[in-house]
Amino acid sequence: MKERRYDNISETLITETLSNGLTINIVPRPAFTKSFAMFATDYGGADRRFKLGGSWIDTPAGVAHFLEHKMFDMPYGNALSVLSANGASPNAFTSSGMTAYHFECTERFEDNLRVLLSFVSTPYFTAESVQKEQGIIGQEICMVEDNPGFVIYNNLLRCLYEYNPVRDSVAGSIESIAEITDKTLYHCHEMFYNPSNMTLAVVGNADPQRVIAMAQEILPKEPGEVPERDYGAPEAAIPHQAKISAEMEVSAPQFMFGARIRPERDGIARLRQSIIGEISLAMLLGPSSPVFNRLYSDGLLNGSLDYELDYTAGTAMLLAGGESRDVGAAMDEIISELRRVTADGLDRDLFINSKKSYFGDMLRNTGSFSTLAQALIEGAFADFCPLDAFEIIEGITVQDVQAFVFDNIVPEKLALSVIEPKK
Amino acid sequence: MKATTEILMPNVLLTCITTGKFKTGCLSVNLLTPLCRQTASMNAAIPCVLKRGTATLPDMATISAKLDSLYGARISPTVRKKGEIQVIGFTSDFPDDAFIPEQSSNLEDVSYLLGEMLLMPSTQGGLLRKEYVESEKEKLLERIRGSINDKRAYSMQRLAELMCSMENYSVYKLGTETDVESITSQGLTRHYSELLASSPIEIFYCGSAEPARVKAALENALAALPRNSEEPDIGTEIRMNSLEEKPRYFEDEMDVTQGKLSIGFRLGDCMEDPDTAAIKVFNAVYGGCVTSKLFMNVREKLSLAYFASSIVDMHKGILAVSSGIEFDKYDAALSEIFAQLEAVKNGSVTDEELKAAKRAVAGAYRSTEDSLGALEDFYLNQALIGPECSPSELAALVEDVRKEEVVSTAAGVECDAVYFLRGIRKGDAD
C-alpha cells in the first residue's frame, strides 16, 4: 500500500496493486458522509475483435453493453435491488472504451462494496434472461434514436472514423444484439472481467486497508491474460467523410464538429496532452474566446459552445458543438478563427487566464466524488494519476498550446455533423 | 456544518451554511416573484440580459476574462420554478481561497461582481441595452422551442400545463414565445426596476468563510440595492382535489419511436399539514426509487416500460409519474401504474419495501450535506416551505416514518390528468 499526499489541494491518494493484477486507488474523505466506489473493466463497445491464446475472435456489436445489463443478475436475485434496498444509489455505464459499475452511499459502505465486487465478478446468465434483455435493450436502442444528442454524436463518429469500431453505437443494433447468447456473455466475461484487466477506485469516507482486504478476499486470486485488441486498419489523415446531416424533431439546427487527434498513449505524457488539449479548446471556443463571443453576439449561437477531449479505444478526438440558426455561417466563423490563430498565434493574456480558469475546473472536478473516481479509473487504464495535473499545469506554456493547435485543430481535419429540424 | 440566517436589509435574508469541507464556495442571489403568465417571460429574461454586461465590464468577453482571472469562478443566470413562485437571479461557484496558489479574496471579488451584475447593468440612455435585450429574447425563444428536444421533460411539462390549466402552476418557467416576442427594452427596464425594489431576496452562501465575512462582502456588494416598504404577497395555492370527478385524458402526436406517458395526481389531504418525511417515503415506496413498486413491477417484472418513476412537488402538492413505453403498451402500463398506487393505499407495503424506501430518502438527504448545489437548493426550498431542520435532521425523521403514515399519505392521492406523447398514427398523418 502506497500513500501519497497532495498538500496543495489537501488530498491523500492510497494506491495498491494486488497479486492478481488489480489496481486500486483510494482517496479518503473523512469529513464527508458519502462514499463513492467504481469498479471498471478495460472493455467497452469498441472491443469487438480480440486475440486470445493465439487466435482472433470476432463478437457482435453491443456485447459489452449487454453484459453490463446482465451483470446485475445473481443466483439470489438482482444486485441492483440489493444495493438499492441497502440505501445505495447504484448504476453502471458502458462507453466505447470501458464498462464501469458504481454506487454512492451514506451508510454501510463496506456491505455495498462487497455486493459490488461480488456481482461484477460473478457471471450468471440464462437463455431466458438473455432473451428477455434483448427486448429491454431493443427499447433502449429505439429510445436513443429519438435523442438528438446521441444521433449527432454517433453520426460525427461515423464521419471521423472509417475502420475503428467506435463508429458504431455502443449498444449495438437490434440485429447485432439478436446474435448474442448466454454463451457469448460467459465467454466475454471470462476474457475481460479478470482482475488484471480491471481497476477499482474509491473516494469517500472509507477505510483504505479494509477496501484492499475486501478486494483480495472476494476477487479471483490469479492474474489473467489481458487480450490484445484490434481496432481496425489505420485511419487516413483526414476524416472519412467531411459532413453528415439528419433531420429530427428538434427546434433549431444543432451541430457538432470534431477531429481525431494524435494521442499520447500512456502516462504523464497523456495527462499532459489532455491538459494542453483542454486549455486549447477553452482558448479557441470557451466563454472567453473571441469566436464564442462573436457568434453569441451575432445571434449565430443559441447557448454555449460545448467541447470535450475524449481518449478511447486506442484513439483520441476532440468534439465541440452547439445550437445555431445558421450552422454554415457559424462554422465559417470558427474555421476563419482557426486560420487566424494559425497565422497570428494565440493571445498571451487569454492563455494566462485560461490556465487559471482550468485550475479552478480541476479543483471542482476533484471535489466531485464521481468525477474524481472516474478520472482515477481512466488514469489506471492509461497509467497516470489525475491528481498530478495540479503540478503539471504549472509548467505548461503558450507554446505548448500553440503546438497542439497546429498539430490537431486544423480545418482540413474537421468533420461536421448536423441535425436539422424536420420540415 | 452550521446554518445561520440573518436579515441583511429589509426583505433580504442571508443564509450561511458554514463548512470547511469543500474546495469551492457557492453563492446565490435569488429574487422571489409570483409565477404568472403576464410576467414570466420578462422575469426569465432579466438575469439573462444582466449577465451580458455591467457598467464597468461592458460585454460577456470582459466578464468572462474577469471570471477566468478569479480562477475559473462561474456566475450563471438562474430561473427556477418553485411551485407558483418564480425564482430568478444568479448562482456562482468559485475556488476557495485556501486552494488558490496566490494571495486572493475570491469571496469578496465574486460577491462584488454579482452585485454589479444585479444592480449596475450596461445601459444606453437609461435603458437596458437594446441589442442585449433583443439578443437574449432570441435565446429565450430558442430555449422555449427547445423544450421539445427532451421528450421526457417535455411530456412532464405538458402534463403540468394541461392538468393545472386554471392555476398559475401551468405557466412554464420561461413563459411563452408570444410573451417573449413582446418584450421591449423600455418595458423590461421598468419591470427590472420594480422587481429589484419589491422582490423579497434570498441569498445563500455555502463554504468555509465565517458568516461575518460573508455579510460584510454582501453588504458592500449590494449597498445600492433599492428597497421599498411593501410586503409582497407570494406563495403557492395548493389544490386538494382533482379538477373533475374522473381523470382528464390528453395526448399529443409527434414523430417519436417511444411513447411518454405522464400521469398527474393531487396529493390531497396530506397537504393540510404536510409531513415532508412521510410524503417523501410514500413517493419512494410508490415510484421514487429503484426498489419502488413502479420500478419493480411496471419495468422489471412486467416489462411494460423502459422507465417508470414518480416525483412529488412539495410546493404544489402534486405527485407525477413519468414513464417511457411502447405505444401499444399504453392501456396495460396505465392500469398497472394505477394498480400499484391502489396497492399502497390498501396497505400492501412489505417491511422490505418500506425499509428500502426509507434508506433511499434518508441517504439522499444525508448526501445533500456533501454537495454545494444540493445544499443551496435544500435551503432555498426550506426558506419557501420548510421544514425548519437540517438535511441530516430530516434524514432522521425519515427513518422514523411508519407504514401507517405512508398508507394514510396515499389515501388522499387522486389522479387528475393523464398525458400521452405518442407517435404519429399511420393513415392520418398529413
Side-chain angles (χ1 to χ4, degrees), chain B residues 312-333:
Chain B
V312 282
D313 184 336
M314 292 297 297
H315 298 267
K316 182 66 183 167
I318 280 178
L319 167 77
V321 170
S322 164
S323 67
I325 61 172
E326 285 174 49
F327 308 129
D328 59 5
K329 299 260 175 73
Y330 176 86
D331 291 323

Side-chain angles (χ1 to χ4, degrees), chain B residues 116-161:
Chain B
E116 184 169 321
M117 230 179 239
L118 187 66
L119 305 172
M120 287 176 274
S122 170
T123 53
Q124 200 168 26
L127 298 178
L128 292 167
R129 268 181 192 280
K130 198 172 172 204
E131 53 175 306
Y132 290 169
V133 173
E134 289 306 317
S135 153
E136 289 305 318
K137 276 167 66 178
E138 285 305 313
K139 318 271 178 212
L140 264 184
L141 285 174
E142 281 306 331
R143 275 174 71 193
I144 295 172
R145 291 181 199 125
S147 60
I148 62 160
N149 293 356
D150 177 346
K151 304 294 184 288
R152 185 175 182 176
Y154 176 75
S155 110
M156 292 296 266
Q157 182 194 320
R158 285 287 289 152
L159 174 70
E161 219 170 272

